[in-house]
């Protein structure tokens, strides 16, 4: 037999050897220390988790409060949201009716699209996940079919969430793809001067705080027809009037040049995602529905998710949303008054408590032993010197829980916030 070929990959956009080589080391160390691979029952009433499997460090039955959950408004266990899911199952009599939506669909998801469209003042197309929506939309943007027909140079922000960055090789088969430094407006403008059409892909709200420069981008949109694709998953519900999120609160360009995708699985508290559009023609909406990849595979947002989302949307229309947002902000403020982080002062619910690479795992272990889960991030998953414990705040965390967590964090090596005059140091 002649020698068989082996393959040398080009790795222009991705490299699993590197990703898994680096990532697995991180996950193995987290799991060995009882900070990953945890299985636990949730008591939805109190929000307390109880480990159902024992571990060298975490005993079976160990109870802890999750300070690493993205349901920032605690709508996921809201009685009306639960009832909404059950009610929709009964009303439609089926969880899903397996067929591409462009052929036949039950009206459930359309009911939600109409409701969210009214809530956001936009055209809404739903999908089973934000990453699924991105998987469908970015290649259509790359080929110019979602846009003015001209293939755009696609600029991916260096920090774009992996659900977007992962589409680079696919988009590169349709157009030219480049990666820019984080929010590099000068580079984007230079490219706008060079290319007939440019599309910029970035997060509306970053997972460690910080928001996209929507106003400056709007100027480029006005001047050059720049198309911007925002993933604003982190700020939906938690930010803005009726929870419309950061981008829709602040971007002055709300027409076909701005496309926003949001997960419904974080602060919105349910499941699935919404593609939020303005000024798109019926033909373009049909192209999205027919050619948007998994948007037209067999699986729609199921009726339980639709019902839960309709109930959550209803809560978004009432004063209860503002009450929950304000409780979340008050909890964030309390945290900021006790532990120092770079994110202090923002309304964004995630904080990174800095630790050294050498101490972060031990600190994470002390925190879970004390009854709280926060997720450690450290080298090699993040650069050396940027390790820390990632804390996520929620509306339903109690003052006592927050004070207790902060005391443990400080005892485990976190820097206490500067006390106000006359206030005791924690
Ligand atoms: C959480 C998150 C996602 C994932 O959303 P899914 O609906 O689970 O796909 C995508 N993008 C960003 C920016 C996120 O924060």
């Amino acid at each position: 037999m002649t020698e068989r070929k082996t393959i040398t990959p080009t790795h222009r956009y991705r490299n699993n050897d590197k990703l898994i080589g680096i990532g697995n080391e991180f996950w193995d160390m987290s799991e060995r220390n009882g900070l990953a691979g945890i299985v636990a029952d949730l008591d939805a009433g109190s929000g307390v988790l109880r480990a159902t499997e024992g571990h060298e460090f975490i005993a079976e039955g160990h109870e802890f409060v999750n300070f690493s959950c993205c349901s920032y408004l605690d709508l996921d266990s809201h009685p009306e949201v639960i009832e909404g899911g059950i009610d929709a199952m009964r009303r439609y009599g089926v969880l899903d009716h397996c067929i591409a939506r462009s052929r036949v669909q039950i009206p459930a998801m359309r009911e939600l699209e109409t409701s969210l469209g009214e809530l956001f003042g936009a055209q809404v197309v739903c999908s089973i996940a934000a990453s699924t929506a991105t998987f469908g939309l970015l290649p259509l943007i790359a080929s110019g079919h979602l846009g003015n027909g001209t293939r755009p140079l696609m600029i991916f922000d260096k920090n774009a969430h992996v659900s977007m960055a992962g589409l680079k090789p696919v988009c590169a088969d349709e157009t030219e793809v480049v990666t820019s430094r984080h929010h590099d407006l000068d580079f984007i403008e230079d490219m706008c001067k060079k290319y007939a059409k440019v599309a910029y892909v970035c997060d509306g709200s970053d997972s460690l705080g910080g928001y996209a420069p929507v106003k400056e981008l709007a100027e480029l949109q006005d001047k050059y027809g720049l198309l911007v694709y925002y993933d604003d998953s982190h700020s939906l519900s938690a930010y803005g009037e009726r929870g419309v999120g950061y981008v829709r609160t602040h971007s002055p360009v709300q027409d076909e040049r701005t496309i926003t995708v949001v997960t419904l699985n974080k602060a919105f508290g349910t499941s699935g995602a919404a593609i939020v559009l303005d000024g798109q023609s019926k033909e373009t909406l049909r192209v999205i529905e027919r050619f948007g990849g998994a948007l037209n595979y067999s699986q729609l947002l199921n009726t339980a998710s639709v019902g839960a989302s309709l109930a959550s949307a209803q809560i978004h229309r009432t004063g209860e949303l503002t009450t929950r947002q304000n409780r979340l902000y008050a909890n964030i403020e309390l945290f900021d008054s006790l532990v120092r982080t770079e994110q202090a002062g923002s309304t964004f619910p995630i904080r990174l408590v800095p630790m050294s690479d050498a101490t972060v795992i031990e600190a994470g272990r002390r925190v879970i032993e004390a009854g709280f889960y926060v997720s450690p991030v450290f080298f090699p998953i993040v650069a050396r010197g940027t390790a820390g414990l990632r804390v996520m705040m929620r509306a339903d965390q109690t003052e006592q829980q927050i004070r207790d967590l902060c005391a443990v964090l400080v005892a485990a090596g976190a820097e206490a916030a500067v006390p106000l005059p006359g206030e005791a140091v924690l």
Side-chain angles (χ1 to χ4, degrees), residues 121-310:
Q123 300 164 306
V124 168
V125 179
C126 283
S127 78
I128 53 174
S131 39
T132 306
T134 293
F135 171 85
L137 294 183
L138 289 187
L140 293 177
I141 291 174
S143 63
H145 289 90
L146 182 43
N148 64 355
T150 308
R151 285 172 194 278
L153 170 75
M154 283 189 84
I155 305 176
F156 283 76
D157 191 275
K158 173 178 158 290
N159 292 4
H161 188 265
V162 61
S163 58
M164 294 177 275
L167 266 292
K168 284 181 201 176
V170 179
C171 293
D173 218 27
E174 292 283 355
T175 190
E176 283 179 37
V177 168
V178 290
T179 304
S180 72
R181 288 185 305 181
H182 190 41
H183 297 162
D184 189 345
L185 294 160
D186 291 338
F187 176 77
I188 299 167
E189 178 154 24
D190 281 349
M191 292 303 110
C192 285
K193 287 176 183 162
K194 252 185 220 153
Y195 285 80
K197 184 80 188 168
V198 175
Y200 174 55
V201 179
C202 70
D203 293 43
S205 38
D206 298 338
S207 65
L208 268 182
Y211 295 104
V214 293
K215 292 212 170 80
E216 292 81 354
L217 286 167
E219 284 169 25
L220 299 181
Q221 291 181 285
D222 272 338
K223 205 162 163 191
Y224 303 100
L226 170 73
L227 190 154
V228 185
Y229 184 90
Y230 291 109
D231 182 336
D232 208 12
S233 289
H234 266 299
S235 78
L236 181 73
S237 307
Y239 191 100
E241 209 173 311
R242 307 217 287 182
V244 297
Y246 186 83
V247 171
R248 281 194 89 74
T249 300
H250 295 292
S251 174
V253 175
Q254 296 193 7
D255 58 27
E256 72 287 351
R257 295 167 298 176
T258 303
I259 294 171
T260 309
V261 61
V262 287
T263 186
L264 301 179
N265 194 35
K266 289 191 169 121
F268 194 83
T270 61
S271 176
I275 301 163
V276 187
L277 305 160
D278 301 274
Q280 299 289 355
S281 66
K282 230 186 179 108
E283 292 70 39
T284 303
L285 293 172
R286 281 280 182 276
V287 167
I288 292 173
E289 190 176 306
R290 290 173 182 166
F291 302 99
L295 298 178
N296 199 33
Y297 296 169
S298 60
Q299 189 162 186
L300 297 192
L301 205 45
N302 66 57
T303 48
S305 302
V306 165
S309 295
L310 285 168

Side-chain angles (χ1 to χ4, degrees), residues 316-336:
H316 280 65
R317 294 182 171 91
T318 68
E320 182 178 347
L321 188 85
T322 322
T323 307
R324 284 179 179 265
Q325 284 178 334
N326 289 339
R327 278 211 323 261
L328 170 66
Y329 298 157
N331 284 350
I332 294 170
E333 222 172 283
L334 175 62
F335 182 91
D336 285 346

